[in-house]
Amino acid sequence: VSKTTKKASFSVQNRAKNVQELLQNARKRGLSVGFVPTMGALHAGHCSLIESAKSRCDWVVVSVFVNPTQFAAGEDLDRYPRQLERDVELCRAMGVDVVFAPDVAEMYADDAATTVRVGGLTERLCGAFRPGHFDGVTTVVCKLFQIVPADVAFFGEKDYQQLMVIKRMVRDLLLPVEIVGCPTVRERDGLAHSSRNALLSAVVRSRAVALYESLVESSRVVAAGERRAATIVDRARAHISASHPSRIDYISVVDACTLEDVERIDGPTRLCVAVVYGGCRLIDNVALGAPVGTG
Ligand code: PAF
């Protein structure tokens, strides 16, 4: 994507049609568009996606939309942090060009009857514990891609399964957008940045660092030569259990492409964890064989 001279004036949009027109005009003028889809409550992880978009594209668009269809009944849709004014100010300060912040009615007709579903990949890991979650994600991201004609869209590797599912959707539907995965950004003690961290009490938050510690330790053990996935999982489970989570959904060593469980760590693999602390479901992952940064 070539970078040419800018610059749009900053705007906040809530109508899909206006955003489409604005960006189609920009593209006609030869400007490249980078897109960072978010559910708001922006944190350092989102900032790094925005920085990546700025470094590659002329215009940067951030969407802020808490997508109801990716939350199952009983999940934390109502509790999910919402702070649009703060998000808008952050985007303005970071040099974002357009914030798209639609309401639910703008994104979903009352009688909407179309779902975008990626098979296979969505049935494992989080998909097995959050039925329908990825259908909600792919449906909304596909719609966002219709609204924001982006050259490149940026997603965090913290949501590794989501990243793989979106890449597959884009490939299968021949969507003309490049998907870029960006490294997980961590807090000082290693906990991955997540909008949900704001919902953790100080005590619970300090226990949740066990997730990061188990990734680092697993990486170290694999680097030292361990190849048995079961050994890695057992060690990680023991460490995480000692931090008294409310629930462990999964601790899995999976093939980095298919997300299927592996018995041995021979090719590219990923250790993925999903654990609930104090009512807050946290996920994290690491490529085994590679060091985990705290960046
Ligand atoms: O990762 C997220 O914040 C959301 O799942 C996404 C991709 C913005 C879709 O709602």
Side-chain angles (χ1 to χ4, degrees), residues 37-39 46 65 67 70 80 137 140-141 155 159 162 166:
T38 82
M39 297 209 296
H46 296 116
F65 178 62
N67 173 36
Q70 66 188 77
Y80 199 86
V137 170
V140 83
V141 171
F155 295 85
D159 297 286
Q162 169 173 282
I166 288 170

